[in-house]
Amino acid sequence: MGLWVLGPPGLAGFAAADDPPATERAVTDIVPAPVQARPDPAANFTLTADSVIRAEYQAHDVADYLGDLLRPATGFAIPVVDRYDTSKPGITLQLGDADQQLGSEGYQLTVAKDGITLQANTTDGLFEGVQSLRQLFPSAIGKSSVQQQDWTVSGGTVFDYPRFARRGAMLDVARHFFGPDQVKRYIDQIAQYKINTLHLHLTDDQGWRIEIKSWPQLTEIGGKTAVDGDPGGFYTQDQYTDIVNYAASRHITVVPEVDMPGHTNAAQASYGELNCDGKPVPPRTDIDVGYSSLCISSPTTYKFVEDVIRELAALTPGPYLDIGGDEAKSTSAADYSAFYAKVMPLVSEYGKQIQGWHNIVEANPPVSAVPEYWDTSRTNADVAAAAARGNKILMAPADKAYLDMKYTPDDPLGLHWAGYVEVKDAYDWDPATVLQGVPESSVAGVEAPLWSETLRTSADIEYQAFPRLAGIAEIGWSPAATHNWDDYRKRLAAQGPIWTAQGINFYRSPQVDWK
Ligand code: TNX
């Protein structure tokens, strides 16, 4: 923590005229914790009406994004100018020729009195560096109207790159539907913590949320319902594409999930031919799980699945399609394997790799498949065996990473089947040791799933996600050596004013001394 936030020790209240202005967060306060950060309060930089962003053409998207972040609250023009136009002070984005250790998502940031320099090998790295830089501004930078104040950025240097390639969030838009603008709002929020993957749980018993042109009743009928009889909804293919593109502009890859062979009541209510008796089932809006199954013996089932995979693959630029696989309690083990023996090859036929809940390991997935571990047990022989075969496991243990778990019994939202998950619980785990027999080299990364049985609004999403999402993001990004609750809770406290300025509805956990 930076003591200089309060002024040099011993001088509190007697700051000399040439003291650097106090700042809210130093480079050592960044969340997720950087690999290396050296604060230098004498090197604070002040953004002014004169400031520019320098970037070469290939970095203009990131430069424009940064400009859009800084303009509303400052009211400054902050034009994006040529990389080598040094006539004005400002922020330089240097793309390429950065340290090789930074890899593809790392960045190097220098805040000096006369300017800010951000270097990276790729635009992904520049984007992640921008997320760190934002936190060095006064929190009011996140407000949407002009604020009359100084815009001093904390001085120092940061050298930073991720521990795991995959840092994800999942949003369940099936139990309750969230419109494109709500999804985009969440994308903007998670991008701040260097989340690079958004898993969209698009279908479940209570609703089907993605238009499939060859099976229109999926959305015409299955899209109408939601938990508790709340309004349904769905994304047209154009809306889905718009979300995918928006996520890409935030350097986030979308992984769409169509859950199967269970969690399929909405599809089975839409088309009788998906049921073994040929009759549509009644729609369901309760939150039971494990009762539905596609008809495993019917050829129509595989025509349906192939059509869905074909359309979804064509709409999805990212490498993964998620084919569900959880809680198929009314599908026998033999049927489950028979089903996936037919379905798994379809994913590669349409040019994608498989993601699924960890239960898919029982169906012998190819080593390119990414099983997502969601259970609360610290042992699972089948998942460990898959890791030994070469599958990379995505870690989302429900008692740590599930953002829909209640923080405490008093949480008005959420479920608690995996326990109560306070901020400290969500932070206190290591993906490399959480599951016996799955070492760091077998871990793809982390994901923070947010199931929406009890969530209806963006405020609900935010309350469950913040602050815990920041902790999962840090576990995925930061070196294990930086892991320290006492340090983390102080850094987290200093994120509170950022969320307040941005209008994020966060849970003010008593475990944190909020600023
Ligand atoms: C279990 S964990 C589910 C979901 C529920 C969630 C609620 C898993 C893969 N499936 O169907 O929404 O619990 O926490």
Side-chain angles (χ1 to χ4, degrees), residues 109-123:
L109 174 65
T110 305
V111 179
K113 234 184 165 122
D114 57 353
I116 296 173
T117 307
L118 185 56
Q119 288 172 266
N121 291 310
T122 67
T123 54

Side-chain angles (χ1 to χ4, degrees), residues 3 76 90 153 191 289 371 410 475 494:
L3 273 174
F76 301 156
V153 182
V289 295
D410 297 331
I475 287 167

Side-chain angles (χ1 to χ4, degrees), residues 261-335:
H263 289 276
T264 47
N265 197 79
Q268 294 172 258
S270 306
Y271 285 100
E273 57 263 52
L274 294 178
N275 302 293
C276 290
D277 66 3
K279 295 185 191 131
V281 299
R284 293 270 298 250
T285 60
D286 60 278
I287 66 169
D288 266 9
V289 295
Y291 56 83
S292 54
S293 179
L294 294 171
C295 183
I296 305 302
S297 60
S298 160
T300 307
T301 294
Y302 303 96
K303 164 106 177 70
F304 162 74
V305 173
E306 179 165 1
D307 286 342
V308 170
I309 288 176
R310 185 187 63 247
E311 291 196 32
L312 207 49
L315 293 169
T316 303
Y320 290 101
L321 289 194
D322 192 307
I323 51 175
D326 59 319
E327 300 172 322
K329 294 178 196 168
S330 56
T331 316
S332 71
D335 276 357

Side-chain angles (χ1 to χ4, degrees), residues 25 139 491-501 506 508 514-515:
R25 282 163 300 273
S139 300
R491 288 185 290 110
L492 197 56
Q495 298 292 305
I498 295 178
W499 300 336
T500 301
F506 68 100
R508 286 166 176 79
W514 299 103
K515 293 246 152 90

Side-chain angles (χ1 to χ4, degrees), residues 175 263 326-327 357 374 402 404-405 415 417 451 453:
R175 270 53 177 274
H263 289 276
D326 59 319
E327 300 172 322
W357 298 104
W374 59 267
Y402 269 31
D404 63 310
M405 289 301 113
L415 304 175
W417 66 265
W451 302 96
E453 287 92 336

